[in-house]
Amino acid sequence: MLQVSVLREHTDAVLAGLAKKHYKTAEADVQAILALDQRRKDLQTAHDSAQAEANELARQIGGLMKSGDKAGAETLKLRTAELKQQTKVHAEELSQVEDALLQTLYKLPNLPHSSVPEGRSAQDNEVVREVGQQPTLPANAQPHWELIKKYDIIDFDLGVKITGAGFPVYKKQGARLQRALINFFLDEARDAGYTEIQPPVLVNEASGYGTGQLPDKEGQMYHDAQDNLYLIPTAEVPITNLYRDEIVATDQLPIRNAGYTPCFRREAGSWGADVRGLNRLHQFDKVEIVQIAHPEQSYTQLEEMLAHIEGLLQKLQLPYRVLRLCGGDMGFTSALTYDLEVWSAAQGRWLEVSSCSNFETYQANRLKLRYRAENGKTQLLHTLNGSALALPRIVAALLENNQQEDGIHLPEVLHSYCGFSKIG
């Protein structure tokens, strides 16, 4: 959530940033926020003034009663009653204005970092680098959705039977490969200095608002209306919310946490060849890395996180590329996002497997996540997160890129985790 002070003091820069993200009602919403904030200030001043006068009259009434001036005391009591009614009205309107202000602030996306390129869609993203050789496959190479049938390692039909489309059943070597990748990613995160967290996969509404999934992505989240809980779309949500309403000591920064969870996304409106097989699911496994950083260090930490994710892809021997997302393709809450994509040889296209983002103070402002500066005042921290890694498209690329006549030969780093070196 953007800070009102930033909107007020840097209005033109805010409007330029929102335009870069192609937010259509920026000027109207910013002006509405500034007007609401001014109304909030006026109401607060009037409320405090009436309250102060009432307190002073209460002191005077006591003196008049002691001196026997009951008539004077009664006159002041009438004025006090008027003031109490005023403060009640002010408090009620103040609550309404504060809620309207908050709801309008929730509508505004984060401002993009100065390095974010202009653009409207994925075609305008900047390729930062491309790493690794794209494999040459045998003439009879198959896409992963055929390979999983051939080797009987993932069953989509069983998933439809017990749940619905987008909920695959992993079995045999497929199930073991899933577990191996999760353990590999968690071990690598631990070796890189991340503390492992196993969070709940259901979160309350406050957590959803805290990291910005609500209200922006409410339609994409699975919601239990009876208990008003949400299935998480990513471990970012519960892990970042560990620090909601906290003041963090600077000597604890940066905080590095990692967690494995299943993730749940409705993905409404998804169809076509790009969502076949493992390309897009409603439930999938992912290891997430999350950092809480000092504002002066957050972009250094972002590059560190990016290097960690690249290291995983290199150890898996998957060709990949790094993209810097343009303004129109960035997430709602992000100030700067790198996407990492692996080459899917049988499909002949790039598959996104990770997003690595700096949210600057946007989430921290919602979370009230702060540190105490040297002057003693509290300041907002920066939050960051990255997928390290999401499993489905990693599995798709591993199966497709490593297929040979006698089976699928897995990268050496996974052999000890899997307990086998080849599928088939």
Side-chain angles (χ1 to χ4, degrees):
M1 184 169 67
L2 299 178
Q3 296 169 266
V4 177
S5 60
V6 173
L7 272 67
R8 187 188 313 112
E9 297 166 15
H10 307 284
T11 305
D12 290 343
V14 168
L15 291 175
L18 294 175
K20 198 173 192 179
K21 277 202 167 181
H22 301 276
Y23 183 72
K24 294 180 181 179
T25 59
E27 188 161 358
D29 287 347
V30 169
Q31 291 305 319
I33 288 167
L34 295 178
L36 286 165
D37 185 53
Q38 187 59 52
R39 180 60 180 156
R40 179 191 63 79
K41 289 180 178 179
D42 293 344
L43 284 168
Q44 189 67 60
T45 299
H47 177 276
D48 293 347
S49 178
Q51 186 68 57
E53 185 180 347
N55 292 340
E56 174 59 23
L57 290 179
R59 186 186 65 79
Q60 293 178 21
I61 290 169
L64 291 171
M65 293 294 289
K66 285 181 180 180
S67 66
D69 186 358
K70 292 184 179 181
E74 288 301 321
T75 300
L76 294 187
K77 284 181 180 180
L78 290 174
R79 174 58 180 162
T80 301
E82 292 175 0
L83 290 169
K84 286 184 177 179
Q85 181 61 29
Q86 286 181 22
T87 57
K88 180 181 178 182
V89 171
H90 289 150
E92 290 174 352
E93 187 178 353
L94 184 61
S95 177
Q96 294 171 1
V97 169
E98 287 176 338
D99 184 64
L101 176 61
L102 186 62
Q103 294 306 317
T104 311
L105 279 167
Y106 280 150
K107 292 169 60 179
L108 294 183
N110 199 2
L111 301 178
H113 186 263
S114 59
S115 66
V116 171
E118 298 280 355
R120 289 184 173 273
S121 67
Q123 285 68 41
D124 301 314
N125 292 335
E126 174 191 345
V127 179
V128 178
R129 56 184 163 271
E130 190 173 317
V131 180
Q133 294 268 340
Q134 296 180 8
T136 301
L137 298 184
N140 61 346
Q142 296 177 300
H144 72 272
W145 52 84
E146 297 297 340
L147 292 170
I148 62 177
K149 292 179 183 177
K150 178 179 179 180
Y151 295 107
D152 193 27
I153 55 175
I154 303 173
D155 197 316
F156 283 93
D157 292 335
L158 284 177
V160 170
K161 177 180 180 180
I162 60 176
T163 307
F167 295 89
V169 172
Y170 299 85
K171 56 184 182 179
K172 303 177 182 177
Q173 287 183 302
R176 293 173 67 185
L177 177 59
Q178 286 284 111
R179 181 157 47 89
L181 284 166
I182 292 165
N183 287 335
F184 168 59
F185 294 152
L186 286 173
D187 286 352
E188 290 291 306
R190 184 193 62 226
D191 291 346
Y194 290 86
T195 299
E196 185 174 343
I197 302 290
Q198 187 172 352
V201 298
L202 281 162
V203 294
N204 56 30
E205 193 173 67
S207 295
Y209 274 96
T211 46
Q213 279 69 31
L214 295 176
D216 178 56
K217 292 182 172 58
E218 186 165 11
Q220 297 182 32
M221 297 173 70
Y222 287 97
H223 181 218
D224 171 29
Q226 183 172 343
D227 294 315
N228 196 26
L229 297 174
Y230 294 83
L231 281 167
I232 61 170
T234 167
E236 166 203 345
V237 181
I239 292 178
T240 309
N241 270 278
L242 294 173
Y243 303 94
R244 175 156 39 96
D245 298 319
E246 295 288 335
I247 298 175
V248 178
T250 54
D251 61 4
Q252 295 180 11
L253 299 173
I255 295 173
R256 297 181 177 92
N257 287 326
Y260 153 71
T261 64
C263 303
F264 304 88
R265 300 182 187 180
R266 294 184 65 243
E267 299 283 11
S270 299
W271 67 87
D274 288 354
V275 301
R276 288 195 67 178
L278 296 169
N279 289 342
R280 185 163 296 173
L281 302 174
H282 293 309
Q283 178 181 332
F284 61 94
D285 292 322
K286 180 156 67 84
V287 172
E288 192 82 357
I289 53 175
V290 175
Q291 288 207 30
I292 312 296
H294 191 284
E296 295 178 2
Q297 297 297 321
S298 67
Y299 279 95
T300 299
Q301 300 308 123
L302 180 64
E303 295 300 322
E304 175 201 272
M305 294 170 74
L306 180 61
H308 172 73
I309 299 166
E310 288 190 69
L312 298 177
L313 296 174
Q314 290 165 13
K315 289 179 180 180
L316 291 174
Q317 300 172 1
L318 290 172
Y320 68 92
R321 66 178 184 178
V322 179
L323 306 177
R324 183 183 284 111
L325 298 194
C326 70
D329 197 38
M330 288 176 64
F332 184 85
T333 54
S334 175
L336 176 63
T337 294
Y338 292 110
D339 269 7
L340 292 95
E341 300 177 334
V342 296
W343 179 249
S344 173
Q347 297 178 66
R349 66 190 189 95
W350 296 98
L351 302 176
E352 179 197 333
V353 294
S354 175
S355 283
C356 187
S357 301
N358 188 345
F359 306 102
E360 296 187 358
T361 61
Y362 191 88
Q363 290 182 332
N365 193 27
R366 291 179 175 225
L367 295 160
K368 295 183 174 58
L369 170 55
R370 298 153 293 168
Y371 72 101
R372 199 173 299 281
E374 291 182 2
N375 60 10
K377 294 182 178 180
T378 57
Q379 303 288 338
L380 294 172
L381 286 160
H382 283 193
T383 61
L384 307 91
N385 81 287
S387 309
L389 286 157
L391 270 69
R393 295 171 190 166
I394 289 290
V395 171
L398 286 172
L399 297 179
E400 293 180 5
N401 294 7
N402 295 294
Q403 59 183 300
Q404 297 181 26
E405 294 294 338
D406 63 339
I408 297 166
H409 292 252
L410 297 174
E412 186 175 352
V413 72
L414 293 180
H415 293 180
S416 61
Y417 284 95
C418 289
F420 53 86
S421 61
K422 184 180 72 171
I423 294 175

